[in-house]
Amino acid sequence: MELSASNLGCTIDGLSLFAGVSFNLSPGQGILLRGANGSGKSTLLRMLCGLRWPDAGEVRWGQQVIRHVRAEFQASLAYLGHKDGIKDDLTALENLLFGNFHQGVDSTSVMQALNEMELGATADTLGRQLSAGQRRRLALIRVLLSKTRLWLLDEPFTALDSVSCSRLEAHIRQHLQNGGMLVLTSHQQHGLDDLGLKEIHLSHG
């Protein structure tokens, strides 16, 4: 299955944020979105996962426009936005079990993932009691536990320490090696330069 975009455009308050964005993304490939703050990187990611419809152009999953196969498409992706999506009244363990229940994830695999990201001690800690870095790692684990083919990650390295960054890079490599697909934004340095990620530079349309 391939993700493709054709001449995507976004207009806000009568002004063009970006225009003419096109690409094809096949299994095993990744895209890095670049651009200044306000150029529309996060908005484009939201378009790609069906949370915002484009003002011009279309996004396709395989041969189908995503709005026509929305349920099937969204079941095939994992999205990490600026907001971590952690529920304050659930523990770290409960957040992951709740967030991945449809993937058949069990408590054993969740605990293994928590330990790997050095969050094992927080398993019974409520979301509201976690630090910003811990919440971000927890949100990333939710993506890593998913069995989806497409990862859409908005600034995934934000609030992570160097060890967590290295672990995330390793998971991204494995995801692509397994035939997964990736679109991410990042203004930080990372160790993914050798993966040959396609780059899309956004500028105001």
Side-chain angles (χ1 to χ4, degrees):
M1 193 70 74
E2 185 178 81
L3 178 71
S4 61
S6 176
N7 293 313
L8 295 184
C10 176
T11 302
I12 296 179
D13 295 330
L15 298 176
S16 176
L17 186 61
F18 56 79
V21 175
S22 299
F23 65 80
N24 291 297
L25 185 64
S26 299
Q29 295 181 333
I31 289 175
L32 175 61
L33 300 180
R34 292 192 180 276
N37 289 340
S39 61
K41 299 186 299 296
S42 296
T43 300
L44 178 54
L45 270 188
R46 289 175 61 81
M47 283 184 182
L48 296 181
C49 64
L51 294 177
R52 188 190 195 285
W53 301 126
D55 298 304
E58 59 189 20
V59 180
R60 290 180 177 270
W61 182 237
Q63 300 301 315
Q64 301 293 320
V65 177
I66 62 170
R67 73 173 71 209
H68 298 156
V69 289
R70 188 171 186 178
E72 172 191 341
F73 173 61
Q74 293 191 333
S76 299
L77 68 85
Y79 169 65
L80 176 72
H82 280 176
K83 295 182 179 180
D84 51 52
I86 302 304
K87 297 185 180 299
D88 288 343
D89 294 328
L90 296 182
T91 66
L93 178 62
E94 291 168 341
N95 263 284
L96 294 175
L97 289 173
F98 176 80
N100 295 83
F101 75 95
H102 60 288
Q103 300 282 357
V105 174
D106 59 27
S107 57
T108 299
S109 58
V110 168
M111 281 305 306
Q112 290 175 344
L114 284 169
N115 287 327
E116 180 189 354
M117 294 296 279
E118 298 183 347
L119 289 177
T122 71
D124 296 322
T125 302
L126 292 176
R128 67 166 59 90
Q129 297 173 318
L130 299 173
S131 69
Q134 289 172 330
R135 290 173 69 96
R136 194 62 172 173
R137 278 183 281 161
L138 193 62
L140 280 168
I141 291 173
R142 189 165 52 210
V143 173
L144 303 180
L145 284 173
S146 75
K147 300 172 184 177
T148 56
R149 284 179 282 178
L150 174 62
W151 290 359
L152 303 174
L153 309 180
D154 200 353
E155 298 292 348
F157 298 100
T158 297
L160 298 185
D161 58 27
S162 59
V163 173
S164 296
C165 285
S166 295
R167 287 174 176 157
L168 175 57
E169 290 164 6
H171 278 287
I172 287 174
R173 289 174 182 279
Q174 190 63 54
H175 179 64
L176 295 179
Q177 288 171 7
N178 290 341
M181 293 176 282
L182 169 75
V183 183
L184 82 157
T185 72
S186 181
H187 68 276
Q188 296 174 279
Q189 292 292 325
H190 53 73
L192 302 175
D193 293 337
D194 63 312
L195 292 181
L197 301 179
K198 302 178 181 180
E199 292 195 11
I200 294 177
H201 294 258
L202 296 184
S203 58
H204 292 291

